[in-house]
Amino acid sequence: MAAKKEQIREAAVSVIAEVGYHTATTDKIAAEAGVAIGTIYNYFRSKEEILEYIYLVELEKRRKFFKNLGTSDLDVLGKLRSLLQMHFAEVKNNPTVGQILVRERHLADKGPENAIREFVQGVPLAIQSLLDQAVETGEIRKCDTKIVSHALFGAVEAVVRTAVFSEEGQERDEILDGAAGELVALVADGIKAK
Amino acid sequence: MAAKKEQIREAAVSVIAEVGYHTATTDKIAAEAGVAIGTIYNYFRSKEEILEYIYLVELEKRRKFFKNLGTSDLDVLGKLRSLLQMHFAEVKNNPTVGQILVRERHLADKGPENAIREFVQGVPLAIQSLLDQAVETGEIRKCDTKIVSHALFGAVEAVVRTAVFSEEGQERDEILDGAAGELVALVADGIKAK
Amino acid sequence: MAAKKEQIREAAVSVIAEVGYHTATTDKIAAEAGVAIGTIYNYFRSKEEILEYIYLVELEKRRKFFKNLGTSDLDVLGKLRSLLQMHFAEVKNNPTVGQILVRERHLADKGPENAIREFVQGVPLAIQSLLDQAVETGEIRKCDTKIVSHALFGAVEAVVRTAVFSEEGQERDEILDGAAGELVALVADGIKAK
Amino acid sequence: MAAKKEQIREAAVSVIAEVGYHTATTDKIAAEAGVAIGTIYNYFRSKEEILEYIYLVELEKRRKFFKNLGTSDLDVLGKLRSLLQMHFAEVKNNPTVGQILVRERHLADKGPENAIREFVQGVPLAIQSLLDQAVETGEIRKCDTKIVSHALFGAVEAVVRTAVFSEEGQERDEILDGAAGELVALVADGIKAK
DNA sequence: AATGAATGAGGGTTCATTCAT
DNA sequence: AATGAATGAACCCTCATTCAT
């Protein structure tokens, strides 16, 4: 059953979101998943691989979405808003995963190849490729797209962090619902009064 | 001698920046500082407190700067640029500290009171207070200043991260030199072609 | 099918010879045998019993040979040489088994009754009984036959070890081919120049 | 205190001799030594290194003895007898160490450099160098000194094994007291009646 | 103030064995 | 008879912290 792998992933999300990756023990994860410790190791080679898998699942969602985005006829800012909306919607739907995404990203440099790093580097790269196209078409002004894409990704992370660690569920949803629009507006037209 | 505390702080910065807080051991820090392990505990109550102290030192620099900023006659965007310039200059001067600031911020929720949390929440709050004033004076349009301030802070962190973990020292300095202007321009006027 | 038991035994010989009993896992043995792990337990009660069975198979060969030896009309040294030749020939034919015989003999004291112990104690005992007869008939001088038989067995083991763990197959065969004669000559006539 | 390393070594000898290296746990060794588990790791890098150290201590004794032997004016068989007497005396004095020497020698191939391997290969090599000299001087007949030295070493191991695992202490001492002479006589003059 | 040996709770991982299919 | 996912006791090792000197 690959269902069991999913079962363990969800338990791990729950435990890691609550106490953090480092404090999360395999015992706790196993207990939360309702399996024996050994069972975890039938599906993952190590505790670290569980975390990587969590990131991988999210990465795949973004990759798939981004791929479809390529075929859409939105302009670049439209595509960007779409990507952000998708991301914030995912986080709204799965706030615990969101907590992990922003809190454990620092573990990106454990091994050589690594799903965490692919996430935290790959997503900005995707944004950068969008911006590069838009500069080409003249839709946006010339700028350092590497810096801007990373800045944008960092802004998104910060907003997610603010949302998923806010005490009240209501505030969380309000932030996430409005965030994509707010961010795109900010980046698109700036903050100055007109 | 308070000089010894500084000596330990610097050693800790060096070790933590290199291997990360979790992998950094008190043995390594003591060795780097050229003192015995026990000596560390004459100046810090715990390993965690060392990290907090590192954040505290940086926090105080920002607080002092921000306080002086209040007396200046710059407009809000000018103040913002000034704050960012100061931050990027500090990081340029002390890239290892920069690495720590962006990589260990996830430890903000260890204890109840906590210099790390004060840094990662206090700095955005300072930004937010700037923005709130500017909305008041009409210098900038109405917006969700909480979101915007966090987003801005996240963008700064992401840029710092990109810089301090870039392989070449030259690229690092280029990013940091240009970052404040790039970010303020982005936030001020947006990204659209005119 | 008793063929399957043999199939598992051979796989176990292969795996244990390569990595040692302790490092050999039931997974590896099952994989090497091309059966499921559970199947192993239809033929053996435990991993240990597999090793015992390996020793038992070898023990039976020696027992049978020794029994036939009793009906031969060789003198004692002739019988001894014959026994050693048989042993070295077996090892030459099955070097991996030889590796196991000398490397896992230390597991003789796991349970109460135990084929490994029967091997490492029974074979010296058989030699001792030969020697005792020869002392009786005056063919050899009086000596502590217990010590001598164990010493002889130890010498044989050491030679086997040298052979089966030598890098080159050719050297291995040379040692094994000459070993019986060399050992019997040594024990029979000593090492002194005449 | 280097005394603590010795204290741990002795505890390890006691525990490993009783239950075998693999079954010996670091907990048991620490308890036997009267120290905390962590203390063990202040003196040894791993459990394996403790075993290596046990062999190393014994190896050094033999090395030193062998070095002095070089300056003596005994003939080769005299030197050989002397070496064996020394070894059996050591084992008599420290039967538990003897048990380990013969029972854990199979762990010689764990890492690249390894005190166990140095012992089980180095001692036969020393014997071989003795024999090679004696062949040169004509004191003993030409023979395959590699085989003979290994055979001799194996014989010694077997006798030690017989002694240290015999139930009664008295029998053990009798074997060890007579063993060197018995073995040298066997190897020197053979076993045939004259 | 400085030292550093001693501490021991805690955690990730292994793997022989079982048993429902 | 064959299967192989599930099990969980067991074990090695780490490292922040203490405290006697």
Side-chain angles (χ1 to χ4, degrees):
Chain A
M1 280 191 289
K4 192 142 283 179
K5 185 171 185 177
E6 177 59 15
Q7 180 181 336
I8 293 168
R9 186 187 71 85
E10 285 168 14
V13 165
S14 167
V15 175
I16 295 174
E18 190 186 348
V19 301
Y21 174 75
H22 181 240
T23 312
T25 65
T26 51
D27 292 58
K28 285 180 194 154
I29 295 172
E32 178 77 23
V35 302
I37 298 178
T39 303
I40 290 180
Y41 287 86
N42 288 337
Y43 295 91
F44 299 94
R45 263 196 293 267
S46 65
K47 181 187 163 189
E48 201 182 327
E49 211 181 81
I50 305 175
L51 183 63
E52 286 199 46
Y53 184 61
I54 293 171
Y55 272 89
L56 187 60
V57 166
E58 300 305 314
L59 179 57
E60 288 305 329
K61 287 182 194 164
R62 274 75 179 170
R63 276 183 175 153
K64 190 171 294 176
F65 187 87
F66 190 75
K67 206 174 170 184
N68 290 335
L69 208 55
T71 68
S72 94
D73 54 358
L74 290 167
D75 61 12
V76 168
L77 287 176
K79 286 180 178 174
L80 209 52
R81 179 180 294 107
S82 183
L83 190 57
L84 264 49
Q85 275 170 342
M86 175 267 181
H87 182 62
F88 288 119
E90 283 289 341
V91 170
K92 185 181 174 186
N93 218 38
N94 247 311
T96 48
V97 171
Q99 292 182 324
I100 294 174
L101 289 182
V102 296
R103 226 175 38 185
E104 314 300 347
R105 52 128 46 240
H106 67 103
L107 294 166
D109 10 298
K110 276 304 182 69
E113 302 198 16
N114 183 303
I116 306 178
R117 195 184 306 150
E118 277 184 59
F119 189 94
V120 299
Q121 293 185 347
V123 174
L125 264 178
I127 296 174
Q128 188 179 354
S129 77
L130 273 185
L131 296 180
D132 283 335
Q133 288 170 38
V135 170
E136 200 101 350
T137 65
E139 189 180 342
I140 67 174
R141 65 172 167 83
K142 280 192 180 167
C143 61
D144 186 330
T145 57
K146 184 180 172 188
I147 295 296
V148 172
S149 60
H150 274 99
L152 191 49
F153 185 64
V156 169
E157 280 191 308
V159 171
V160 166
R161 189 180 295 124
T162 306
V164 295
F165 289 110
S166 79
E167 304 290 321
E168 310 165 50
Q170 201 187 344
E171 189 194 8
R172 183 186 72 213
D173 289 351
E174 280 171 18
I175 295 175
L176 293 172
D177 285 334
E182 187 89 49
L183 279 183
V184 171
L186 176 65
V187 172
D189 297 313
I191 204 174
K192 279 193 191 155
K194 293 294 150 65
Chain B
M1 286 188 286
K4 194 148 278 181
K5 185 169 185 178
E6 176 60 14
Q7 181 181 335
I8 294 169
R9 186 188 70 86
E10 284 169 14
V13 165
S14 168
V15 174
I16 295 174
E18 190 187 348
V19 301
Y21 174 76
H22 181 240
T23 310
T25 62
T26 48
D27 292 59
K28 285 179 194 156
I29 295 172
E32 179 78 22
V35 301
I37 301 177
T39 303
I40 291 180
Y41 285 84
N42 288 333
Y43 296 91
F44 299 95
R45 261 196 297 267
S46 67
K47 180 187 165 190
E48 204 182 326
E49 210 181 81
I50 304 175
L51 183 64
E52 287 198 46
Y53 183 62
I54 292 171
Y55 273 88
L56 187 60
V57 166
E58 301 305 313
L59 179 56
E60 288 306 329
K61 289 181 195 165
R62 274 78 180 164
R63 274 183 177 154
K64 189 171 296 177
F65 187 87
F66 191 73
K67 207 172 171 185
N68 290 335
L69 209 56
T71 68
S72 95
D73 55 357
L74 291 167
D75 62 9
V76 168
L77 286 176
K79 287 180 177 174
L80 208 52
R81 178 179 296 109
S82 183
L83 190 57
L84 264 51
Q85 274 169 340
M86 176 267 182
H87 182 64
F88 288 119
E90 283 289 340
V91 170
K92 186 182 174 186
N93 218 40
N94 247 311
T96 47
V97 171
Q99 291 181 326
I100 293 174
L101 289 181
V102 296
R103 220 172 47 183
E104 314 300 347
R105 50 123 52 238
H106 67 103
L107 294 166
D109 11 298
K110 276 302 182 70
E113 302 197 18
N114 185 305
I116 307 178
R117 194 184 308 149
E118 277 183 59
F119 187 95
V120 299
Q121 292 186 347
V123 175
L125 263 178
I127 297 174
Q128 188 178 354
S129 75
L130 272 186
L131 296 179
D132 283 336
Q133 288 169 39
V135 170
E136 201 100 348
T137 64
E139 189 182 343
I140 67 173
R141 65 171 167 82
K142 279 191 183 170
C143 62
D144 186 330
T145 57
K146 183 180 175 187
I147 295 296
V148 172
S149 60
H150 274 101
L152 190 51
F153 185 64
V156 169
E157 281 191 307
V159 172
V160 167
R161 189 181 294 124
T162 306
V164 295
F165 290 109
S166 80
E167 305 290 322
E168 311 166 50
Q170 203 189 341
E171 191 194 6
R172 185 187 69 215
D173 289 349
E174 281 171 18
I175 295 176
L176 293 173
D177 285 334
E182 187 90 49
L183 279 183
V184 172
L186 176 65
V187 171
D189 298 312
I191 204 174
K192 277 192 190 158
K194 293 293 151 64
Chain C
M1 283 190 287
K4 192 148 282 184
K5 184 170 185 177
E6 176 59 14
Q7 180 181 336
I8 293 168
R9 186 188 70 85
E10 284 170 13
V13 165
S14 168
V15 174
I16 295 173
E18 191 186 347
V19 302
Y21 174 76
H22 180 239
T23 311
T25 64
T26 48
D27 291 59
K28 285 179 195 157
I29 295 172
E32 178 78 22
V35 301
I37 300 177
T39 304
I40 290 179
Y41 286 84
N42 289 335
Y43 295 91
F44 299 94
R45 260 196 297 265
S46 67
K47 180 188 165 189
E48 203 182 325
E49 210 180 81
I50 305 176
L51 183 64
E52 287 198 45
Y53 184 61
I54 292 172
Y55 272 88
L56 187 60
V57 167
E58 300 306 313
L59 179 58
E60 288 305 329
K61 288 181 194 166
R62 274 78 179 165
R63 275 185 177 152
K64 190 171 294 177
F65 187 86
F66 191 73
K67 207 172 169 184
N68 290 335
L69 208 56
T71 68
S72 96
D73 53 359
L74 290 168
D75 62 11
V76 168
L77 286 176
K79 287 180 176 173
L80 208 51
R81 179 179 294 108
S82 183
L83 190 57
L84 264 50
Q85 276 170 339
M86 176 269 180
H87 183 64
F88 288 119
E90 282 288 342
V91 170
K92 185 181 174 185
N93 219 38
N94 247 312
T96 48
V97 171
Q99 291 182 325
I100 294 173
L101 289 182
V102 297
R103 225 176 38 185
E104 314 300 347
R105 51 125 50 240
H106 68 103
L107 294 166
D109 11 296
K110 276 302 182 70
E113 302 198 17
N114 183 304
I116 306 177
R117 196 185 306 150
E118 278 184 58
F119 188 95
V120 299
Q121 293 185 347
V123 174
L125 263 179
I127 296 174
Q128 188 179 354
S129 77
L130 272 184
L131 295 178
D132 283 337
Q133 288 168 39
V135 170
E136 201 101 349
T137 64
E139 189 181 342
I140 66 173
R141 65 172 167 82
K142 280 190 178 168
C143 62
D144 187 330
T145 58
K146 183 180 174 187
I147 295 297
V148 172
S149 59
H150 273 100
L152 192 49
F153 186 64
V156 169
E157 281 192 307
V159 172
V160 167
R161 184 159 30 229
T162 307
V164 296
F165 289 109
S166 80
E167 304 290 321
E168 312 165 49
Q170 202 188 343
E171 191 194 6
R172 184 186 70 214
D173 289 350
E174 280 172 17
I175 294 175
L176 292 172
D177 285 333
E182 187 91 48
L183 279 183
V184 172
L186 176 66
V187 171
D189 297 313
I191 203 175
K192 278 194 191 155
K194 292 296 151 65
Chain D
M1 282 191 287
K4 194 143 280 178
K5 186 170 185 177
E6 176 60 15
Q7 180 181 337
I8 293 168
R9 187 188 69 86
E10 284 168 16
V13 165
S14 167
V15 174
I16 295 174
E18 189 186 348
V19 301
Y21 174 76
H22 181 240
T23 311
T25 64
T26 49
D27 292 58
K28 284 179 196 154
I29 294 172
E32 178 77 23
V35 300
I37 298 177
T39 303
I40 291 179
Y41 288 86
N42 287 338
Y43 295 91
F44 299 95
R45 263 196 293 267
S46 66
K47 180 187 164 190
E48 202 181 328
E49 210 182 80
I50 305 176
L51 183 64
E52 285 200 48
Y53 183 62
I54 292 172
Y55 272 88
L56 187 60
V57 166
E58 301 305 314
L59 179 57
E60 288 306 329
K61 288 182 195 166
R62 274 77 180 166
R63 274 183 177 156
K64 190 171 295 179
F65 188 87
F66 190 74
K67 206 174 171 185
N68 290 335
L69 210 55
T71 68
S72 93
D73 55 356
L74 291 168
D75 62 11
V76 168
L77 287 176
K79 286 180 178 175
L80 208 51
R81 179 179 295 108
S82 183
L83 190 57
L84 264 51
Q85 274 168 342
M86 176 268 183
H87 182 63
F88 288 120
E90 283 289 340
V91 171
K92 185 180 173 186
N93 218 40
N94 247 311
T96 48
V97 171
Q99 291 182 323
I100 293 173
L101 290 182
V102 297
R103 223 174 44 184
E104 313 301 347
R105 52 127 45 240
H106 66 103
L107 294 167
D109 12 298
K110 278 302 181 72
E113 301 199 17
N114 184 304
I116 307 179
R117 195 185 304 151
E118 277 184 60
F119 188 95
V120 300
Q121 292 185 348
V123 175
L125 264 178
I127 296 174
Q128 188 178 353
S129 76
L130 272 186
L131 295 179
D132 283 336
Q133 288 168 40
V135 169
E136 199 101 349
T137 64
E139 190 182 340
I140 67 174
R141 64 172 169 82
K142 280 190 181 169
C143 62
D144 187 331
T145 57
K146 183 181 174 186
I147 295 297
V148 173
S149 60
H150 273 100
L152 192 50
F153 185 64
V156 169
E157 281 192 307
V159 172
V160 167
R161 190 181 291 122
T162 307
V164 295
F165 289 109
S166 78
E167 304 290 321
E168 311 166 50
Q170 203 189 343
E171 190 194 8
R172 184 186 71 212
D173 289 350
E174 280 170 18
I175 295 175
L176 293 173
D177 285 333
E182 188 88 50
L183 279 183
V184 172
L186 176 64
V187 171
D189 298 312
I191 204 175
K192 279 193 189 158
K194 294 294 153 64

